[in-house]
Amino acid sequence: MLLKDFYNVVSLENTIGSKYLITIKVNENHDVFKGHFPGNPIMPGVCMMQIIKELSEQITESSLFMQTLTNVKFMALINPFINSKLVLELDINTTEDGLVKIKNTTYFNETIALKLSSVYRKI
């Protein structure tokens, strides 16, 4: 974990084939939120991207290096004091040439916060 104690995995379930449903709990008292932004904490987008990478590494049991982002849409702000529980849907596929393609939708309650498609290479 790049940011120690930033989040905890509450549940990780392989729903069908290459699809996973993961629930995490964000530590709203983490130092990241003191600077982003004081009095109005918002989850940094780069932190969400790192969480997706770390969860994908756990699932694939591989170290990954981001090669490309083909689609990133931040659709709602995540305030950890209001919505510290996030659900991530991951679809993880490995190509014949060893690339790991990931499609993600992250949401809280019924609100979609992030949609992301990325390609990683194993390192």
Side-chain angles (χ1 to χ4, degrees), residues 16-41:
I16 185 166
S18 62
K19 297 183 182 203
Y20 295 83
L21 188 64
I22 304 149
T23 302
I24 65 169
K25 169 87 169 72
V26 177
N27 176 3
E28 63 270 8
N29 296 312
H30 195 277
D31 286 344
V32 164
F33 298 115
K34 293 177 184 169
H36 200 269
F37 298 94
N40 187 26

Side-chain angles (χ1 to χ4, degrees), residues 80-93:
F81 285 98
I82 298 170
N83 299 299
S84 63
K85 190 179 196 182
L86 303 174
V87 177
L88 294 88
E89 295 175 350
L90 295 179
D91 188 356
I92 302 174
N93 291 287

Side-chain angles (χ1 to χ4, degrees), residues 9-105:
V9 176
V10 175
S11 66
L12 190 156
E13 176 186 358
N14 180 213
T15 55
I16 185 166
S18 62
K19 297 183 182 203
Y20 295 83
L21 188 64
I22 304 149
T23 302
I24 65 169
K25 169 87 169 72
V26 177
N27 176 3
E28 63 270 8
N29 296 312
H30 195 277
D31 286 344
V32 164
F33 298 115
K34 293 177 184 169
H36 200 269
F37 298 94
N40 187 26
I42 297 171
M43 171 75 78
V46 70
C47 290
M48 281 305 309
M49 293 167 57
Q50 181 66 26
I51 290 169
I52 292 164
K53 176 184 178 271
E54 289 174 1
L55 293 172
S56 298
E57 287 177 327
Q58 181 179 342
I59 291 165
T60 63
E61 298 178 343
S62 302
S63 294
L64 300 174
F65 181 82
M66 185 182 295
Q67 184 167 317
T68 58
L69 286 171
T70 55
N71 186 24
V72 181
K73 293 181 183 178
F74 295 99
M75 304 174 76
L77 298 176
I78 302 170
N79 180 327
F81 285 98
I82 298 170
N83 299 299
S84 63
K85 190 179 196 182
L86 303 174
V87 177
L88 294 88
E89 295 175 350
L90 295 179
D91 188 356
I92 302 174
N93 291 287
T94 303
T95 65
E96 288 180 16
D97 55 353
L99 296 176
V100 179
K101 293 186 174 186
I102 299 168
K103 290 185 181 179
N104 164 260
T105 302

